[in-house]
Each structure stands twice: as structure tokens, then as C-alpha cells.
Amino acid sequence: MQAEEAAYKPIPEVRDVTQEMVDRNFLHIRADIQELVDAEYMHIMNDPELAHLIIKK
């Protein structure tokens, strides 16, 4: 086990990632998902055969 661990090599860094980059990417993905959800919701609401699947509060 020790010989195996001694043979380990560090993984090279591909690129430097900042917290700002992570946050910006998260917000972009979140907006994309919200857009998809809204589009699908509108599709379901405009289809008489599917509209009953939406629970209205």
C-alpha cells in the first residue's frame, strides 16, 4: 500500500478557477433551467390534454 501511494503523481492543474467564475456559471445555469421550466409550464398550460396536470393553488 505504501509503495502504491509513493508512486502517486499530482494531477496537473488544467486552469485556474475563481469563485466569481463559479458563481457566474451557477447563475447562468440557474437562469437556463428556469427558462426551460417556464417554457414547459406554458406548453402544458396551453395544451388542453395536459392542462389538468398543473395544480393551481
Side-chain angles (χ1 to χ4, degrees):
M1 185 76 169
Q2 287 181 343
E4 182 181 335
E5 290 180 11
Y8 287 174
K9 295 180 182 177
I11 298 172
E13 187 174 311
V14 177
R15 65 177 164 188
D16 191 26
V17 178
T18 65
Q19 185 63 42
E20 181 183 342
M21 292 167 67
V22 172
D23 292 343
R24 188 174 45 237
N25 192 37
F26 171 79
L27 292 174
H28 183 74
I29 292 169
R30 187 176 183 182
D32 288 348
I33 291 171
Q34 188 62 54
E35 185 179 328
L36 288 169
V37 168
D38 292 344
E40 190 61 24
Y41 179 78
M42 292 306 296
H43 168 75
I44 292 172
M45 288 302 292
N46 291 326
D47 187 333
E49 293 182 16
L50 298 175
H52 72 280
L53 298 172
I54 302 293
I55 298 172
K56 297 178 184 176
K57 292 182 180 183

